[in-house]
Amino acid sequence: MFSRRAILPAFVLLLIGGVNVDAQQLPPFFAEHCEKCHSGEKPKGKFDLTKLSTDFSLASNREHWQRVLEQIESGDMPPEDKPRPSEQEASAAMKWIRGQVDAVELARRAKEGRVVLRRLNRAEYANTMRDLLGVEVDLADLLPPDTSTNGFDNNAELLHTSSHLLRNYLDAADRVLNEAIASKPKPWILNKRFDIKDERTVKPNGSVYRYVPDGVAIFAAWESANIRVTMWNFRSHVRGKYRFRISAYAIQNDGKPVTYRVTAGTLKEVTEERLVGYFAVPQDKPTVIEFTEQLEPENRIRILAEGLPATPPQVQQVGAENYKGPGLVVQWVDIEGPLLESWPPPSHRVLFGDLKQERVDRERYEVVSAQPMADAERLLADFARRAFRRPVSAAEIQPFLARVRGSLEGGRSFEQAMRLGFKGILVSPDFLFLRERGPKLNDFELASRLSYFLWSSMPDEELLKLAAANQLHDPAVLRRQVERLLRDPKSRAFTENFTGQWLSLRAIDATLPDRTLYPEYDDILKTAMLKETTLFFDEVLHHDLPLTNFVHSDFTFLNERLARHYRIPGVEGMDMRKVTLPPGSHRGGLLTMGSILKVTANGTTTSPIIRGSWVLERILGTPPPKPPPDVEAIEPDIRGATTIREQLAKH
């Protein structure tokens, strides 16, 4: 383990300064262990204790005292060659500093409120829309990436709001409401089996494909020649979830499985194709892989074989019908969708309840009301309660109700008027921002803190009911809710967002390893690397394991592809699973995981400097200071050095 002594040298006290104060205000610890060296005309380290202010209301002074606290806490002060204070004396001195800092912080909160008003970041906004209305809509083109600091993108000071962003929020609200409201007839449900032989790109002659009695065998992988089986006979006619069942098996591969990937999108451009997943199937045993995927209109899927050794010319030279090497047989693909719970869908009922619809024309329906203003007030109040994540008063509804009234008086229909009211709520500061109004955190604010921390989304009804009953401040109730939220699949958002930011995993594609130097690197390996880290984090979190596992552990999560890369035997198949590491393995903990090594390299070489800085920032929380402005860079003589280690030694 690294020690603070190596990272926080004693001369940090040179930065401390202040005004003259009465030394009697300081605890006896400082007079006994500090004042002798740090006072007078030539104080050690140019730090004079008698010139350190005890006015903790000054932000700069609090920062100086925090550094003093770090010196005592790390044991760097008093020096080892001086009389050492007892543990009780040091603890009392540190308690005094913390107490002074906390007192100022509490006073500030009482005056200004608990926290800075914070806007929902992009991930939180999208998740909140999903849980509020029950629809999944791609909003990435409307919401720009958030600025991050120290790797995190939920810092209130950096989550700015502009007129351009507000316009995008208006457009996003329109898009989500259009999807949530069932204004069209019930969509036709596709439920069909597609035979791969019917696809026009799969040719039986002069190609890498062989027609077999129960499907089509593919003998070249996409990596070698862009071999793809695109389902051109299918397209998603409306947005929604679709269920896929693919039957496939390996052939002529010495009893070993073959892996294939599935991608989805419009498939017109590389940027319009996204990975669905990787799947492995055994030899000569037809295996059905089932998954559900959210598709936009006009989406298709592709099936791409992975890791097959032959190139198309090698197969075509002998003919696919005579080729004896390994291949993938795809039999059929079942597709069902869009999958609907009911019609109108739950998202429609969230907005309009059980109000009736009337046909406007052949392709459009609209919600109608016999008592438009009464229904509008009721529906807006219920929607605002959920959108604002707290109770709302009648007065708070009036601005939105006025928009509905004005729209009705202007001749618009009830549904069109209600869209304006709902849209107003969705661009309200009470929806877009996390607001904590007083010095004391109430139960609804606590519910939002909890859900946005662990779900990156709004509280559910159970949390809101407990908040309404003022039960969330009960430690036992709060603990049960934390455990419940962590067990929920939505806690996956916490794992992905936190590890993506804390460990820089979002930068996994910032560089691409040189294919000549690292031919073994591919998307399958990258995906396994990311899964290893997130599953490892989940294991520590859900089983309350010691944090030291992040530095060293005797287990990790592997599949066959990643285990082969780590040269760890005995792991087969594409499924990730917990693996006990062999004795003496250096793979335990975060620092030697492939994903971490990838984001701290540049694609061709590694840099101990970059990785050392990463460890200081991400693991130890002590980022290296900026270089002094008056020290120029040097060009060391590294002649004769052939490795990075040798270059650093000469440097």
Side-chain angles (χ1 to χ4, degrees):
M1 294 292 290
F2 296 89
S3 69
R4 285 183 178 268
R5 182 165 305 175
I7 304 163
L8 296 171
F11 59 77
V12 75
L13 291 177
L14 289 170
L15 300 175
I16 297 177
V19 299
N20 290 324
V21 297
D22 183 0
Q24 297 300 320
Q25 298 180 39
L26 301 176
F29 174 91
F30 297 102
E32 182 178 350
H33 295 286
C34 306
E35 190 171 339
K36 183 177 180 180
C37 294
H38 295 287
S39 63
E41 295 182 1
K42 295 183 178 180
K44 290 289 185 67
K46 297 183 180 180
F47 166 53
D48 191 338
L49 179 68
T50 62
K51 293 183 179 180
L52 179 60
S53 172
T54 56
D55 183 1
F56 280 80
S57 64
L58 299 174
S60 59
N61 197 53
R62 288 199 304 275
E63 182 179 347
H64 295 158
W65 276 109
Q66 290 281 15
R67 290 176 177 145
V68 173
L69 174 63
E70 290 177 351
Q71 294 294 308
I72 301 172
E73 193 173 32
S74 66
D76 287 340
M77 287 290 165
E80 292 183 354
D81 59 348
K82 301 295 182 182
R84 305 294 293 175
S86 67
E87 184 176 338
Q88 291 77 11
E89 289 177 310
S91 178
M94 291 187 290
K95 183 178 180 181
W96 179 82
I97 297 175
R98 294 190 184 105
Q100 299 297 319
V101 173
D102 291 345
V104 172
E105 181 66 17
L106 289 173
R108 184 191 65 80
R109 290 179 179 179
K111 182 179 179 180
E112 303 176 5
R114 295 188 62 86
V115 294
V116 177
L117 183 70
R118 181 171 82 77
R119 175 174 61 80
L120 300 180
N121 64 24
R122 181 165 70 163
E124 292 168 340
Y125 177 87
N127 292 341
T128 301
M129 281 292 207
R130 176 201 66 200
D131 293 340
L132 178 64
L133 289 167
V135 293
E136 293 190 31
V137 182
D138 186 7
L139 302 173
D141 60 318
L142 294 177
L143 305 178
D146 297 304
T147 304
S148 65
T149 177
N150 296 324
F152 290 91
D153 61 7
N154 58 356
N155 187 317
E157 296 179 0
L158 298 178
L159 290 170
H160 304 298
T161 303
S162 64
S163 58
H164 175 72
L165 183 59
L166 186 58
R167 166 52 60 186
N168 286 354
Y169 279 138
L170 289 167
D171 293 341
D174 279 332
R175 184 180 296 182
V176 175
L177 288 173
N178 287 339
E179 183 66 21
I181 298 173
S183 58
K184 296 181 179 180
K186 181 179 179 179
W188 166 68
I189 307 300
L190 170 70
N191 193 348
K192 180 180 178 180
R193 173 166 295 183
F194 292 84
D195 191 332
I196 300 300
K197 293 179 181 178
D198 295 333
E199 292 296 338
R200 63 178 184 269
T201 55
V202 180
K203 301 176 182 179
N205 299 316
S207 68
V208 299
Y209 304 104
R210 177 202 302 171
Y211 281 15
V212 294
D214 58 351
V216 175
I218 307 167
F219 292 109
W222 76 273
E223 307 104 304
S224 61
N226 208 21
I227 300 299
R228 310 174 177 201
V229 177
T230 304
M231 302 293 297
W232 293 113
N233 291 332
F234 159 75
R235 66 177 178 84
S236 53
H237 51 288
V238 295
R239 179 185 291 111
K241 288 186 178 294
Y242 289 76
R243 180 181 295 114
F244 296 87
R245 300 175 71 248
I246 302 176
S247 182
Y249 60 90
I251 186 174
Q252 302 173 181
N253 198 32
D254 297 327
K256 299 177 182 178
V258 166
T259 300
Y260 66 91
R261 74 160 71 182
V262 177
T263 61
T266 63
L267 308 184
K268 296 177 182 178
E269 302 289 344
V270 174
T271 56
E272 298 175 357
E273 183 175 357
R274 68 183 183 280
L275 176 68
V276 173
Y278 292 95
F279 310 97
V281 289
Q283 178 171 316
D284 300 330
K285 182 180 178 181
T287 301
V288 176
I289 300 296
E290 181 175 323
F291 59 89
T292 300
E293 184 71 10
Q294 176 77 18
L295 299 182
E296 296 294 310
E298 303 298 324
N299 276 195
R300 291 179 166 86
I301 68 165
R302 275 189 177 133
I303 303 171
L304 305 96
E306 296 276 351
L308 299 180
T311 61
Q314 291 174 318
V315 178
Q316 294 164 359
Q317 185 176 4
V318 297
E321 65 280 3
N322 300 316
Y323 181 70
K324 302 301 181 182
L328 170 72
V329 174
V330 181
Q331 297 178 290
W332 44 260
V333 179
D334 282 349
I335 305 177
E336 179 185 1
L339 305 176
L340 302 174
E341 296 180 31
S342 59
W343 193 262
S347 61
H348 181 92
R349 293 197 295 274
V350 164
L351 295 170
F352 291 107
D354 295 325
L355 290 182
K356 294 182 179 180
Q357 290 180 294
E358 289 184 354
R359 184 188 291 269
V360 177
D361 53 43
R362 183 177 179 182
E363 294 296 329
R364 190 162 60 91
Y365 289 80
E366 278 199 356
V367 177
V368 296
S369 170
Q371 300 176 307
M373 291 310 300
D375 284 334
E377 185 170 12
R378 172 177 57 84
L379 295 173
L380 289 174
D382 184 64
F383 184 68
R385 176 190 67 84
R386 298 184 64 244
F388 296 169
R389 307 171 283 274
R390 59 172 176 78
V392 294
S393 65
E396 290 180 286
I397 298 301
Q398 292 309 308
F400 310 110
L401 195 60
R403 292 177 61 86
V404 175
R405 182 183 296 107
S407 184
L408 289 172
E409 292 173 352
R412 295 192 179 185
S413 67
F414 175 74
E415 181 182 305
Q416 292 171 338
M418 287 300 297
R419 281 175 177 260
L420 286 178
F422 292 136
K423 188 175 178 179
I425 291 173
L426 292 176
V427 294
S428 166
D430 288 279
F431 173 72
L432 295 176
F433 290 80
L434 296 174
R435 307 183 74 170
E436 296 178 5
R437 300 174 182 271
K440 184 177 180 181
L441 197 70
N442 66 41
D443 279 58
F444 289 99
E445 293 163 348
L446 179 56
S448 287
R449 277 198 181 191
L450 189 61
S451 65
Y452 279 101
F453 178 52
L454 296 179
W455 285 352
S456 295
S457 185
M458 61 180 288
D460 62 359
E461 284 298 329
E462 182 171 336
L463 274 177
L464 293 176
K465 287 179 180 178
L466 289 170
N470 295 317
Q471 294 183 10
L472 277 182
H473 273 83
D474 182 335
V477 174
L478 184 60
R479 183 179 183 85
R480 287 196 297 271
Q481 288 303 305
V482 170
E483 297 292 343
R484 180 179 72 86
L485 266 62
L486 285 174
R487 290 194 301 269
D488 192 283
K490 284 192 286 189
S491 67
R492 183 69 182 171
F494 171 71
T495 297
E496 292 179 353
N497 288 331
F498 187 76
T499 57
Q501 297 175 83
W502 171 41
L503 302 175
S504 307
L505 297 186
R506 291 180 177 179
I508 192 75
D509 291 322
T511 61
L512 184 64
D514 188 310
R515 292 288 187 183
T516 304
L517 296 174
Y518 308 104
E520 70 276 12
Y521 183 84
D522 54 25
D523 283 346
I524 298 181
L525 183 61
K526 180 190 75 175
T527 301
M529 287 176 174
L530 292 172
K531 286 184 176 180
E532 176 191 22
T533 307
T534 55
L535 289 171
F536 184 89
F537 179 86
D538 270 341
E539 184 77 3
V540 174
L541 175 67
H542 288 94
H543 293 87
D544 197 21
L545 301 180
L547 293 180
T548 51
N549 280 280
F550 288 133
V551 178
H552 177 71
S553 68
D554 61 357
F555 70 92
T556 191
F557 286 80
L558 304 173
N559 63 6
E560 182 177 358
R561 182 68 181 82
L562 187 56
R564 186 167 70 249
H565 180 70
Y566 289 166
R567 298 176 183 173
I568 296 176
V571 180
E572 297 181 355
M574 288 295 294
D575 293 334
M576 301 290 293
R577 82 293 306 264
K578 185 177 180 180
V579 175
T580 300
L581 293 169
S585 173
H586 65 281
R587 288 294 175 184
L590 295 174
L591 303 182
T592 53
M593 287 185 179
S595 62
I596 305 301
L597 298 176
K598 170 67 177 67
V599 300
T600 55
N602 64 13
T604 57
T605 60
T606 61
S607 170
I609 304 299
I610 294 176
R611 286 183 177 159
S613 175
W614 186 93
V615 170
L616 290 174
E617 292 176 356
R618 308 295 174 163
I619 304 300
L620 299 177
T622 55
K626 294 181 180 179
D630 56 346
V631 177
E632 297 181 359
I634 62 172
E635 291 294 335
D637 181 2
I638 57 173
R639 289 175 296 179
T642 58
T643 67
I644 293 177
R645 185 184 299 274
E646 291 173 351
Q647 291 175 15
L648 282 175
K650 284 180 172 290
H651 193 145

